[in-house]
Amino acid sequence: MRRTDREVKDEKRIRELIELCDCCRLGFCDEGKVYIVPLSFGYEDNKKTFYYHGAKN
């Protein structure tokens, strides 16, 4: 992490932040163009795993 003064390390606080989110935004760069895609997600705490749903347009 570049800004260690803003890093969240407390496991309980991390879970709280994830539960407050309605979506996750994933950024991409394709042929020099940057774009962000909002995604619905699920989270499995015991595995610390995110699940995303997507489809072709």
Side-chain angles (χ1 to χ4, degrees):
M1 175 148 195
R2 192 180 67 157
R3 296 274 317 262
T4 56
D5 61 316
R6 299 186 68 186
E7 185 175 6
V8 179
K9 293 182 180 181
D10 179 57
E11 295 280 333
K12 183 179 177 188
R13 182 65 181 140
I14 292 170
R15 274 192 307 278
E16 289 172 354
L17 290 169
I18 292 169
E19 290 171 3
L20 288 172
C21 296
D22 293 327
C23 72
C24 178
R25 289 169 178 84
L26 192 58
F28 296 94
C29 181
D30 184 30
E31 295 181 8
K33 296 180 182 177
V34 177
Y35 61 99
I36 298 171
V37 179
L39 298 167
S40 297
F41 72 94
Y43 178 71
E44 197 167 354
D45 189 43
N46 62 336
K47 292 183 181 180
K48 299 199 180 348
T49 303
F50 284 91
Y51 297 93
Y52 299 98
H53 180 269
K56 291 183 178 182
N57 41 339

